Amino acid sequence: AQFVEFGGGLVQPGGSLRLSCVFSGRIFSLYGMAWYRQAPEKPRELGATTTSNGRTDYRDAVKGRFTIYRENANNTMYLQMNSLKPEDTAVYYCHDIGSVAPWGQGTQVTVSS
């Protein structure tokens, strides 16, 4: 499996971004998927998950602000991020749940005024 993330950038506090993840190498619709993030000098953490049939879950820090969703026909997953905070600054990665496939390059999100 391969993962390509894009859509990051520099945004002011309170702003929004939509991240995209393109998945290849397997049948996307069969896999639970997740967005992770890694802030400088911190371990990678799980941010949001979606099952193969679209059930979602979020870490408390992003609940009510982030929305994870997927388009199985396009092998693509998204993360809509609203009301961004400086503490959301991180490199964001997507990955399927449970595999040991290599990680993608991630996409940098910087929230700063």
Side-chain angles (χ1 to χ4, degrees):
Q2 290 186 323
F3 312 95
V4 178
E5 306 92 345
F6 56 95
L10 172 64
V11 63
Q12 293 187 342
S16 298
L17 283 174
R18 188 181 76 161
L19 306 184
S20 301
C21 165
V22 178
F23 174 97
S24 63
R26 295 181 189 168
I27 302 174
F28 178 68
S29 61
L30 296 180
Y31 290 87
M33 295 290 295
W35 282 99
Y36 297 80
R37 66 185 185 182
Q38 187 167 18
E41 300 182 1
K42 291 188 177 180
R44 188 175 292 158
E45 64 182 21
L46 179 64
T49 61
T50 176
T51 63
S52 58
N53 61 5
R55 189 170 66 242
T56 59
D57 197 13
Y58 302 88
R59 71 182 301 113
D60 288 345
V62 306
K63 278 182 181 176
R65 300 188 298 120
F66 290 11
T67 302
I68 184 173
Y69 61 102
R70 60 194 297 163
E71 292 182 351
N72 286 342
N74 297 323
N75 288 357
T76 303
M77 179 177 68
Y78 303 94
L79 186 68
Q80 177 66 45
M81 305 187 296
N82 299 328
S83 302
L84 282 161
K85 304 176 181 180
E87 51 264 42
D88 295 319
T89 295
V91 179
Y92 284 71
Y93 302 87
C94 64
H95 206 276
D96 58 12
I97 295 174
S99 85
V100 294
W103 292 82
Q105 295 294 312
T107 185
Q108 175 71 49
V109 172
T110 303
V111 185
S112 175
S113 54

